[in-house]
Amino acid sequence: MARELRGRVVLLTGGTSGIGRVATARLARRGACVVTCARDAERLRTVVAGLPGEVHGVACDLVDADDREQLVQTVIDRHGRLDALVNNAGVGRVGPLMDLDAASIEQMVTVNLTAVADLTRLALPHLRRAGGDIVMLSSAAAWAPIPPLALYSATKAGVDGLVTALRREVPRDVRIHSVNPGPVRTEWLARAFGARPDEDDSERKLSFGVPPEWVAVQIEKCLTAYHSRSAAVPHLLGLARLTRVPPVGRVLDALIAPLAPSLARRTREYGRRIANRR
């Protein structure tokens, strides 16, 4: 038996595209009241208006600590409770660490890790009262980082570390889940190369990967489970955890390091092609 979603208040970050958009629609169809946020207020209004069920949009820049605090407070003021937090929003930059500028590094760490930790901190008192759930969207790159995603992989490894620590720190009446997808067919890569897709061209900016619906299914399974879950998407990617075993890791270090320049070049070429599609 799964727990019921109907009537629960779920805060899901980054709901205007990709995984967040599909997950918001899926949870709303199951009867949840979903509050989602994004920086682009105009696109947020358009997306929310086209989604089924009870969905509310809040314009929010997760880089801003005041915005994060106001986001959680808005949910409580409007709905009187918070039953689940889905930390979905994330950003990426593609390139070797030495090629990234300071602003890119700061933004990635802030959105992918600092904002996740801070929103979780702000939500926890309400989630403890509700016996609620936290779902962290991590990445298979946290288990098996490859060039040129060193910093992105590190931020997601930080999210995984936070999941493990919270499971030991937070009372068991709050379930702490993680979902680690591999490549997903979203705008993520185009955005990593500076594109800002809108509703008219978003379909042309999608990179290869599994459908975002696969990830949304796992988010729903987390929110309806009785115990904390960790899920890889697709499931086979769970084998990537083996790369953290020292003998396997050392072999991969030796094999991948010589390929790093070629991997970086090919990824840049593909990413720029996606970002510039008309």
Side-chain angles (χ1 to χ4, degrees):
M1 292 289 291
R3 289 187 296 142
E4 181 62 61
L5 273 172
R6 188 166 301 280
R8 291 165 67 187
V9 178
V10 179
L11 171 58
L12 186 151
T13 62
T16 55
S17 63
I19 295 167
R21 183 170 181 164
V22 174
T24 295
R26 185 178 185 89
L27 299 179
R29 282 196 298 268
R30 299 300 190 273
C33 169
V34 184
V35 180
T36 190
C37 69
R39 282 186 304 168
D40 188 336
E42 183 177 349
R43 188 176 185 187
L44 180 63
R45 283 192 296 271
T46 302
V47 169
V48 167
L51 291 176
E54 188 176 359
V55 181
H56 306 279
V58 179
C60 173
D61 185 352
L62 292 174
V63 170
D64 190 303
D66 291 336
D67 272 21
R68 297 194 295 264
E69 185 171 3
Q70 186 58 48
L71 174 63
V72 174
Q73 191 58 50
T74 297
V75 176
I76 300 304
D77 290 345
R78 288 184 181 178
H79 304 285
R81 60 184 295 168
L82 176 59
D83 299 297
L85 169 65
V86 181
N87 280 307
N88 166 72
V91 297
R93 292 291 181 271
V94 177
L97 181 64
M98 66 180 181
D99 291 349
L100 300 179
D101 57 32
S104 296
I105 291 172
E106 184 174 1
Q107 184 195 36
M108 206 184 317
V109 173
T110 300
V111 175
N112 293 0
L113 188 54
T114 304
V116 168
D118 195 32
L119 274 179
T120 300
R121 174 187 69 85
L122 293 164
L124 267 171
H126 308 289
L127 295 172
R128 289 190 63 183
R129 285 193 287 272
D133 297 83
I134 299 170
V135 182
M136 306 287 201
L137 263 292
S138 183
S139 171
W143 302 327
I146 58 172
L149 295 172
L151 184 60
Y152 176 79
S153 302
T155 62
K156 292 303 186 178
V159 170
D160 277 1
L162 184 61
V163 168
T164 301
L166 289 175
R167 285 175 176 170
R168 299 169 184 176
E169 178 179 290
V170 174
R172 295 181 68 83
D173 56 350
V174 177
R175 288 155 293 275
I176 314 293
H177 313 278
S178 61
V179 179
N180 293 61
V184 183
R185 187 169 171 75
T186 68
E187 302 169 9
W188 182 91
L189 188 60
R191 290 180 178 275
F193 281 90
R196 291 294 176 265
D198 56 27
E199 286 299 284
D200 294 328
D201 69 351
S202 60
E203 287 294 321
R204 293 188 291 274
K205 305 292 187 183
L206 303 180
S207 58
F208 79 94
V210 302
E213 287 82 1
W214 290 19
V215 186
V217 167
Q218 293 304 321
I219 292 171
E220 180 186 350
K221 286 184 176 181
C222 290
L223 294 178
T224 55
Y226 283 95
H227 304 286
S228 298
R229 298 179 72 247
S230 292
V233 184
H235 293 307
L236 190 62
L237 275 181
L239 294 173
R241 295 182 181 94
L242 295 175
T243 64
R244 295 187 292 183
V245 178
V248 179
R250 284 195 291 270
V251 170
L252 287 177
D253 291 347
L255 292 175
I256 294 175
L259 301 175
S262 174
L263 289 171
R265 185 182 69 256
R266 290 172 182 239
T267 304
R268 283 196 189 102
E269 290 171 355
Y270 177 67
R272 287 170 181 152
R273 191 161 64 248
I274 296 290
N276 293 323
R277 279 178 181 168
R278 293 287 185 263

